[in-house]
Amino acid sequence: MSWIGELLPNPLTDRTSHYDHTRREILCHEAGRRAQTEISTWPGYTSTPLHALPGLARRTGVGAVLYKDESRRFGLGSFKALGGPYGVLRALGRETGTETADSAAATSGVPSVTVTCATAGNHGRAVAWGAQMHGCRSVIFIPAATSEHRAAAIAAHGAEVVRTGGDYDHAVRVAQAEADRNGWIVVSDTSYQGYQDIPRAIMQGYTVLVAEALDQLPGGRPPTHVFVQAGVGGLAAAVCAHLWEALGPDRPILTLVEPEGAACCLRSGRSGRPTTVPGPFDTMMGCLACGEPSDLAWRILREGSDFFLTITDDASAITMRRLAEARGGGPAIVAGESGAAGLAGFLATAGEQPCRAALGLDRGSRVLVIGTEGATDPAVYRRITGLSPEQVDSGQG
């Protein structure tokens, strides 16, 4: 049974194009260094590990599989801890008239400020933590299907959590309407016309993990292929931009991975413009159940991404179990439903010869994937893997 819904080569890819000033106005290394300088001062900062999975590399016939593990980032369980809090900080800087990434200046006198967003779980938790850290109030809107555990994790950081009817995109609209009515600041990683600065800052925060990964590469050899979760495109654009600026035409082949039931980036690739996919979305990969790509992200991904890939829920579930049982030849790894999707995308294409040929996967390939989240809902994780996160961490899988 195939794990692949569809593999679409990006018809607009331009690997000869330079990472020019119009793209640098969105994301660039200089702004990335400022983000890394600030984020490295936050309590608990450390580079997350880059695991080698030699067993999977042998079984899939490639030279290396490398897994950037974001499951413990700042104790929040996902890469979102880099973006949301940095977006809060930059928003507070604008509010206080201190256009700076320095937290001491930006957060002077902000207790009366309220930040808000919509979330399927991870982004809202990160924004709530950022608000708590930087001294302002937060109100977080969640879709109807968000689990009680994820809602409680957000509330634990002092946020007011409001459950809306409908899906994530409906929650986005509700959050914006309430922000307009109450004078709150929206901190979203989805950009649209008239809303650019904060999503740009959030994506710039995500580039920190890419910079870390490049510093951690065995022998300093860059990857030949990267599989990254799509969602609204914020992380994918951060990965694409950083590698494009660093490596130019020698950058890795970039494949964007989505659930087959929520493929707004693939649809956008096919149409050549940002395209909305209406919900509801039937996928367990809740953090990737997004119907509308970010405008800023698409400006980079339009020519910078190489392939769009949709996968089944089974692909993610089986990959979660393989990681938990250390069948990758490396450590046992806790990966959530969306967190395993990048690796699942690689395994899906590596197992089908036409896809291998299209992507150019061979014994010399060095594949980088990003484990974007850990077990952000332990009950869901146990239901899928048959193990608790604690059992996996203790090597009892």
Side-chain angles (χ1 to χ4, degrees), residues 12 169 231-232 258 262-279 281 290-295 298 308:
L12 300 175
D169 293 303
V232 300
E258 300 175 282
C264 64
C265 287
L266 183 144
R267 294 280 187 91
S268 299
R270 176 170 287 124
S271 68
R273 61 184 184 278
T275 301
T276 300
V277 177
F281 304 116
C290 306
E292 186 172 356
S294 167
D295 174 68
W298 181 250
F308 304 96

Side-chain angles (χ1 to χ4, degrees), residues 8 202 273 379:
L8 175 71
I202 290 172
R273 61 184 184 278

Side-chain angles (χ1 to χ4, degrees), residues 12-371:
L12 300 175
T13 298
D14 184 358
R15 297 191 66 82
T16 65
S17 179
H18 295 292
Y19 196 78
D20 59 19
H21 73 280
T22 60
R23 297 181 178 104
R24 287 192 177 93
E25 287 177 352
I26 302 172
L27 296 170
C28 67
H29 286 183
E30 181 182 357
R33 285 189 288 271
R34 291 197 297 269
Q36 189 157 26
T37 297
E38 166 60 31
I39 290 169
S40 67
T41 68
W42 295 351
Y45 172 78
T46 186
S47 295
T48 54
L50 183 69
H51 300 300
L53 304 178
L56 278 185
R58 287 192 299 271
R59 284 197 289 275
T60 54
V62 299
V65 177
L66 302 170
Y67 184 98
K68 179 66 169 167
D69 185 1
E70 292 293 301
S71 64
R72 293 192 173 123
R73 181 71 75 175
F74 288 116
L76 299 185
S78 86
F79 79 101
K80 296 283 190 176
L82 293 169
Y86 191 64
V88 169
L89 177 62
R90 298 310 300 266
L92 294 177
R94 291 177 59 199
E95 186 72 11
T96 58
T98 55
E99 290 294 325
T100 175
D102 176 73
S103 56
T107 59
S108 175
V110 298
S112 62
V113 176
T114 297
V115 295
T116 189
C117 70
T119 185
N122 292 339
H123 177 67
R125 185 178 182 184
V127 168
W129 180 67
Q132 185 180 55
M133 176 169 55
H134 297 311
C136 65
R137 177 173 175 259
S138 63
V139 180
I140 309 298
F141 293 87
I142 60 175
T146 303
S147 72
E148 287 298 333
H149 180 92
R150 291 190 172 106
I154 297 168
H157 297 292
E160 178 184 345
V161 179
V162 180
R163 188 179 296 274
T164 66
D167 59 13
Y168 169 78
D169 293 303
H170 175 71
V172 169
R173 292 189 292 272
V174 173
Q176 183 64 64
E178 288 300 303
D180 292 341
R181 188 168 68 87
N182 293 289
W184 300 340
I185 302 173
V186 175
V187 179
S188 171
D189 57 358
T190 301
S191 66
Y192 43 86
Q193 187 171 6
Y195 182 72
Q196 308 280 323
D197 291 345
I198 293 173
R200 181 185 291 112
I202 290 172
M203 291 193 295
Q204 200 69 72
Y206 297 158
T207 65
V208 170
L209 72 87
V210 193
E212 289 177 358
L214 290 180
D215 287 341
Q216 295 167 316
L217 291 168
R221 300 180 70 196
T224 60
H225 295 76
V226 176
F227 290 77
V228 63
Q229 293 85 327
V232 300
L235 173 63
V239 172
C240 180
H242 197 88
L243 294 174
W244 194 347
E245 186 173 1
L247 302 172
D250 296 325
R251 68 187 185 274
I253 299 293
L254 180 67
T255 301
L256 275 55
V257 182
E258 300 175 282
E260 61 180 346
C264 64
C265 287
L266 183 144
R267 294 280 187 91
S268 299
R270 176 170 287 124
S271 68
R273 61 184 184 278
T275 301
T276 300
V277 177
F281 304 116
D282 183 19
T283 176
M284 73 175 193
M285 292 175 268
C287 293
L288 302 180
C290 306
E292 186 172 356
S294 167
D295 174 68
L296 280 177
W298 181 250
R299 292 187 209 173
I300 290 172
L301 297 172
R302 180 179 183 273
E303 295 179 342
S305 59
D306 296 283
F307 290 88
F308 304 96
L309 171 68
T310 62
I311 60 171
T312 66
D313 278 4
D314 283 346
S316 180
I318 294 170
T319 301
M320 289 170 65
R321 291 194 286 270
R322 287 183 177 179
L323 287 168
E325 295 164 4
R327 282 189 274 167
I333 296 171
V334 176
E337 310 91 277
S338 300
L343 180 58
F346 161 64
L347 295 176
T349 55
E352 298 196 14
Q353 188 55 43
C355 295
R356 288 183 68 95
L359 290 163
L361 288 168
D362 58 31
R363 294 195 177 278
S365 299
R366 298 179 300 279
V367 179
L368 172 65
V369 300
I370 300 168

